[in-house]
Amino acid sequence: ASAVVVGPDGAASSATARPTATLDLLTYGTPAPLGLDPGAADRSFDYVIGRAPGFLDGKPGMHWTVNGHTYPDVPMFEVAEGDVVRMRIDNRSGAPHPMHLHGHHVVVLSRDGVAASGSPWWTDSLEVADGEVYEVAFLADNPGIWMDHCHNLPHATEGLVAHLMYAGVTTPYLLGHDSGNVPE
């Protein structure tokens, strides 16, 4: 084992034992009010991550999919300001993905059908292992057009990108190589 000791000359150190259990944020802490009611969600979406043969930027290969579609033909999740939104993230891709929704924090409701029972687990990035299914919720309180993508950036550049948009919000910007605006 290696260690770095910071202190005066001759300071001693001792190895710290490796924890015997993994911290599970789904059960850690004490439940508390969320400030929103996911049971009365205004919108619900599925975000199914997969892998399929196809073309991306004209290149053939095995590419990431969102709800069975390759980028840029992936769903646009539309919400209205004030909506309570539930999203089911289902990873069937064969690889883990740290999923990240820009502009919002989500609360984890369940993992693989097991409901959260600890303190509210609020996050902006969620590691979704292959075969895992998470349910999350958030309040649509930040109008815009936001990326919802894998934060393993090579996966994002390989098409694991979707967007969340607010009703009535538009942009003059175009996406794609002709426009020079490539999201990752």
Side-chain angles (χ1 to χ4, degrees):
S2 299
V4 174
V5 178
V6 178
D9 233 1
S13 72
S14 60
T16 301
R18 179 176 218 111
T20 58
T22 301
L23 174 65
D24 185 356
L25 296 178
L26 201 64
T27 60
Y28 179 79
T30 305
L34 298 179
L36 56 88
D37 182 3
D42 301 290
R43 313 274 176 146
S44 293
F45 301 110
D46 284 331
Y47 194 130
V48 180
I49 304 164
R51 196 118 164 113
F55 291 86
L56 182 66
D57 292 332
K59 298 175 191 154
M62 286 296 288
H63 298 289
W64 306 113
T65 62
V66 177
N67 295 353
H69 299 276
T70 54
Y71 187 84
D73 299 318
V74 295
M76 177 74 76
F77 302 114
E78 185 176 341
V79 299
E81 188 172 3
D83 282 351
V84 173
V85 182
R86 285 180 76 114
M87 186 173 283
R88 184 176 164 274
I89 306 168
D90 182 351
N91 184 359
R92 304 175 187 176
S93 73
H97 300 287
M99 298 306 294
H100 175 67
L101 172 60
H102 287 227
H104 301 80
H105 289 93
V106 302
V107 63
V108 176
L109 303 174
S110 70
R111 179 182 56 232
D112 298 332
V114 176
S117 60
S119 298
W121 176 6
W122 289 95
T123 187
D124 67 358
S125 296
L126 182 63
E127 180 76 14
V128 183
D130 180 45
E132 284 186 327
V133 177
Y134 277 88
E135 271 201 287
V136 299
F138 64 93
L139 178 63
D141 62 355
N142 193 6
I145 301 173
W146 299 99
M147 287 185 74
D148 191 353
H149 67 107
C150 178
H151 231 243
N152 178 339
L153 295 184
H155 291 181
T157 60
E158 295 164 1
L160 190 39
V161 173
H163 288 85
L164 173 79
M165 71 171 286
Y166 281 70
V169 174
T170 61
T171 178
Y173 299 103
L174 299 175
L175 205 58
H177 289 286
D178 292 342
S179 69
N181 183 16
V182 180
E184 288 292 338

Coordinates of all heavy atoms in Angstrom, one line a residue, residues 100-140:
H100 N -26.6 13.0 -17.4 CA -26.6 14.4 -16.9 C -27.6 15.2 -17.6 O -27.5 15.4 -18.8 CB -25.2 14.9 -17.1 CG -25.0 16.4 -16.7 ND1 -25.1 16.8 -15.5 CD2 -24.8 17.5 -17.5 CE1 -24.9 18.1 -15.4 NE2 -24.7 18.5 -16.7
L101 N -28.6 15.8 -16.8 CA -29.5 16.7 -17.4 C -29.1 18.1 -17.0 O -29.0 18.5 -15.9 CB -30.9 16.5 -16.8 CG -32.0 17.5 -17.1 CD1 -32.3 17.6 -18.6 CD2 -33.3 17.1 -16.3
H102 N -28.8 18.9 -18.0 CA -28.4 20.3 -17.8 C -29.5 21.2 -17.2 O -30.7 20.9 -17.5 CB -27.9 20.9 -19.1 CG -26.6 20.5 -19.6 ND1 -25.6 21.3 -20.1 CD2 -26.1 19.2 -19.8 CE1 -24.6 20.6 -20.5 NE2 -24.9 19.3 -20.3
G103 N -29.2 22.1 -16.4 CA -30.1 23.1 -15.9 C -31.1 22.7 -14.8 O -31.9 23.5 -14.4
H104 N -30.9 21.4 -14.4 CA -31.9 20.9 -13.4 C -31.2 20.0 -12.4 O -30.2 19.4 -12.8 CB -33.0 20.2 -14.1 CG -33.8 21.0 -15.0 ND1 -33.3 21.3 -16.3 CD2 -35.0 21.7 -14.9 CE1 -34.2 22.1 -16.9 NE2 -35.2 22.3 -16.1
H105 N -31.8 19.7 -11.3 CA -31.4 18.7 -10.4 C -32.6 17.7 -10.4 O -33.8 18.1 -10.4 CB -31.2 19.2 -9.0 CG -29.9 20.0 -8.9 ND1 -29.9 21.3 -9.0 CD2 -28.6 19.6 -8.7 CE1 -28.6 21.7 -9.0 NE2 -27.8 20.7 -8.8
V106 N -32.3 16.4 -10.3 CA -33.3 15.4 -10.2 C -33.3 14.7 -8.9 O -32.2 14.7 -8.3 CB -33.2 14.3 -11.4 CG1 -33.3 15.0 -12.7 CG2 -31.9 13.5 -11.2
V107 N -34.4 14.2 -8.4 CA -34.4 13.4 -7.2 C -34.6 11.9 -7.6 O -35.5 11.6 -8.5 CB -35.5 13.9 -6.2 CG1 -36.9 13.7 -6.8 CG2 -35.3 13.1 -4.9
V108 N -33.8 11.0 -7.1 CA -33.9 9.6 -7.4 C -35.1 9.0 -6.7 O -35.2 9.1 -5.4 CB -32.6 8.9 -7.1 CG1 -32.8 7.4 -7.4 CG2 -31.5 9.4 -7.9
L109 N -36.1 8.4 -7.4 CA -37.2 7.8 -6.8 C -37.1 6.3 -6.5 O -37.5 5.8 -5.6 CB -38.5 8.0 -7.7 CG -38.8 9.5 -8.0 CD1 -39.9 9.6 -9.0 CD2 -39.1 10.3 -6.7
S110 N -36.4 5.7 -7.5 CA -36.2 4.2 -7.4 C -35.0 3.7 -8.2 O -34.6 4.4 -9.2 CB -37.4 3.4 -7.7 OG -37.7 3.5 -9.1
R111 N -34.5 2.6 -7.9 CA -33.5 1.9 -8.7 C -34.0 0.4 -8.8 O -34.2 -0.2 -7.8 CB -32.1 1.9 -8.1 CG -31.0 1.2 -8.9 CD -29.7 1.2 -8.2 NE -29.7 0.7 -6.9 CZ -29.3 1.3 -5.8 NH1 -28.7 2.5 -5.9 NH2 -29.4 0.7 -4.6
D112 N -34.1 0.0 -10.1 CA -34.5 -1.4 -10.3 C -35.8 -1.8 -9.6 O -36.0 -2.9 -9.0 CB -33.4 -2.4 -10.0 CG -32.2 -2.2 -10.9 OD1 -32.4 -1.7 -12.0 OD2 -31.1 -2.5 -10.4
G113 N -36.7 -0.8 -9.5 CA -38.0 -1.1 -8.9 C -38.0 -0.9 -7.3 O -39.1 -1.1 -6.7
V114 N -36.9 -0.7 -6.7 CA -36.8 -0.5 -5.3 C -36.9 1.0 -5.0 O -36.0 1.7 -5.4 CB -35.5 -1.1 -4.7 CG1 -35.4 -0.9 -3.2 CG2 -35.4 -2.6 -5.0
A115 N -37.9 1.4 -4.2 CA -38.1 2.8 -3.9 C -37.0 3.3 -3.0 O -36.5 2.6 -2.1 CB -39.5 3.0 -3.3
A116 N -36.7 4.6 -3.2 CA -35.8 5.3 -2.3 C -36.4 5.3 -0.9 O -37.6 5.6 -0.8 CB -35.5 6.7 -2.8
S117 N -35.6 5.1 0.1 CA -36.1 5.1 1.5 C -35.3 5.9 2.4 O -35.6 6.1 3.6 CB -36.2 3.6 2.0 OG -34.9 3.1 2.0
G118 N -34.2 6.6 1.9 CA -33.4 7.4 2.8 C -33.7 8.9 2.5 O -34.8 9.2 2.1
S119 N -32.7 9.7 2.8 CA -32.8 11.1 2.5 C -33.0 11.3 1.0 O -32.5 10.5 0.2 CB -31.5 11.9 3.0 OG -31.3 11.7 4.3
P120 N -33.7 12.4 0.7 CA -33.9 12.6 -0.8 C -32.5 12.7 -1.5 O -31.6 13.4 -1.0 CB -34.6 14.0 -0.8 CG -35.4 14.0 0.4 CD -34.5 13.4 1.5
W121 N -32.3 11.9 -2.5 CA -31.1 11.9 -3.2 C -31.2 12.8 -4.5 O -31.7 12.4 -5.5 CB -30.8 10.4 -3.6 CG -29.6 10.1 -4.5 CD1 -28.7 11.0 -4.9 CD2 -29.3 8.8 -5.1 NE1 -27.8 10.3 -5.7 CE2 -28.1 9.0 -5.8 CE3 -29.9 7.6 -5.0 CZ2 -27.5 8.0 -6.5 CZ3 -29.3 6.6 -5.7 CH2 -28.1 6.7 -6.4
W122 N -30.8 14.0 -4.3 CA -30.8 15.0 -5.4 C -29.5 15.0 -6.1 O -28.4 15.0 -5.4 CB -31.1 16.4 -4.8 CG -32.5 16.6 -4.3 CD1 -32.9 16.4 -3.1 CD2 -33.6 17.0 -5.1 NE1 -34.3 16.7 -3.0 CE2 -34.7 17.0 -4.3 CE3 -33.8 17.2 -6.5 CZ2 -36.0 17.3 -4.7 CZ3 -35.1 17.6 -6.9 CH2 -36.2 17.6 -6.1
T123 N -29.5 15.0 -7.4 CA -28.2 15.0 -8.2 C -28.4 15.6 -9.5 O -29.6 15.8 -10.0 CB -27.8 13.5 -8.3 OG1 -26.5 13.4 -8.9 CG2 -28.8 12.7 -9.1
D124 N -27.3 15.9 -10.2 CA -27.4 16.4 -11.6 C -26.8 15.4 -12.5 O -26.8 15.6 -13.7 CB -26.9 17.8 -11.7 CG -25.4 17.9 -11.5 OD1 -24.7 16.9 -11.2 OD2 -24.8 19.0 -11.7
S125 N -26.1 14.4 -12.0 CA -25.5 13.3 -12.8 C -25.7 12.0 -12.0 O -25.5 11.9 -10.8 CB -24.0 13.5 -12.9 OG -23.7 14.7 -13.7
L126 N -26.1 11.0 -12.8 CA -26.5 9.8 -12.2 C -25.9 8.6 -13.0 O -26.1 8.5 -14.2 CB -28.0 9.6 -12.2 CG -28.6 8.4 -11.6 CD1 -28.4 8.3 -10.1 CD2 -30.1 8.3 -11.9
E127 N -25.0 7.8 -12.3 CA -24.4 6.7 -12.9 C -25.4 5.6 -13.0 O -25.9 5.0 -12.1 CB -23.2 6.2 -12.0 CG -22.4 5.1 -12.6 CD -21.5 5.4 -13.8 OE1 -21.2 6.6 -14.0 OE2 -21.1 4.5 -14.4
V128 N -25.7 5.2 -14.3 CA -26.7 4.2 -14.6 C -25.9 3.0 -15.2 O -25.5 3.1 -16.3 CB -27.8 4.7 -15.5 CG1 -28.8 3.6 -15.8 CG2 -28.4 5.9 -15.0
A129 N -25.8 2.0 -14.4 CA -25.0 0.8 -14.9 C -25.8 0.0 -15.9 O -27.1 0.2 -16.0 CB -24.7 -0.1 -13.7
D130 N -25.2 -0.8 -16.7 CA -25.8 -1.6 -17.7 C -26.9 -2.5 -17.0 O -26.6 -3.1 -15.9 CB -24.8 -2.5 -18.4 CG -25.5 -3.3 -19.5 OD1 -26.4 -2.8 -20.2 OD2 -25.2 -4.5 -19.5
G131 N -28.1 -2.5 -17.5 CA -29.1 -3.3 -16.9 C -29.9 -2.6 -15.8 O -30.9 -3.2 -15.3
E132 N -29.5 -1.5 -15.3 CA -30.2 -0.7 -14.3 C -31.3 0.1 -14.9 O -31.2 0.6 -16.0 CB -29.3 0.2 -13.5 CG -28.4 -0.6 -12.5 CD -27.6 0.4 -11.6 OE1 -27.2 1.5 -12.1 OE2 -27.3 0.0 -10.5
V133 N -32.3 0.3 -14.0 CA -33.5 1.2 -14.4 C -33.7 2.1 -13.2 O -33.9 1.7 -12.1 CB -34.8 0.4 -14.6 CG1 -35.9 1.4 -14.9 CG2 -34.6 -0.6 -15.8
Y134 N -33.6 3.4 -13.4 CA -33.8 4.4 -12.4 C -35.1 5.2 -12.8 O -35.4 5.4 -13.9 CB -32.7 5.4 -12.3 CG -31.5 5.0 -11.5 CD1 -30.5 4.3 -12.1 CD2 -31.4 5.3 -10.2 CE1 -29.4 3.9 -11.3 CE2 -30.3 4.9 -9.4 CZ -29.3 4.2 -10.0 OH -28.2 3.8 -9.2
E135 N -35.8 5.6 -11.7 CA -36.9 6.5 -11.9 C -36.5 7.8 -11.1 O -36.0 7.7 -10.0 CB -38.2 6.0 -11.3 CG -39.0 5.3 -12.3 CD -40.5 5.2 -12.0 OE1 -40.8 4.5 -11.0 OE2 -41.3 5.9 -12.6
V136 N -36.6 8.9 -11.8 CA -36.2 10.2 -11.2 C -37.3 11.2 -11.4 O -38.2 10.9 -12.3 CB -34.9 10.8 -11.8 CG1 -33.7 9.8 -11.6 CG2 -35.0 11.1 -13.3
A137 N -37.3 12.3 -10.7 CA -38.3 13.3 -10.9 C -37.6 14.7 -10.7 O -36.6 14.8 -10.1 CB -39.4 13.2 -9.9
F138 N -38.2 15.7 -11.3 CA -37.7 17.1 -11.2 C -38.8 18.1 -11.4 O -39.8 17.7 -12.0 CB -36.5 17.3 -12.1 CG -36.7 17.3 -13.6 CD1 -37.0 18.4 -14.3 CD2 -36.7 16.1 -14.3 CE1 -37.3 18.4 -15.6 CE2 -36.9 16.0 -15.6 CZ -37.2 17.2 -16.3
L139 N -38.6 19.3 -11.0 CA -39.5 20.4 -11.2 C -39.0 21.2 -12.4 O -37.8 21.6 -12.4 CB -39.6 21.3 -10.0 CG -40.5 22.5 -10.2 CD1 -41.9 22.1 -10.4 CD2 -40.4 23.4 -8.9
A140 N -39.8 21.4 -13.4 CA -39.4 22.1 -14.6 C -39.5 23.6 -14.2 O -40.5 24.3 -14.4 CB -40.3 21.8 -15.8

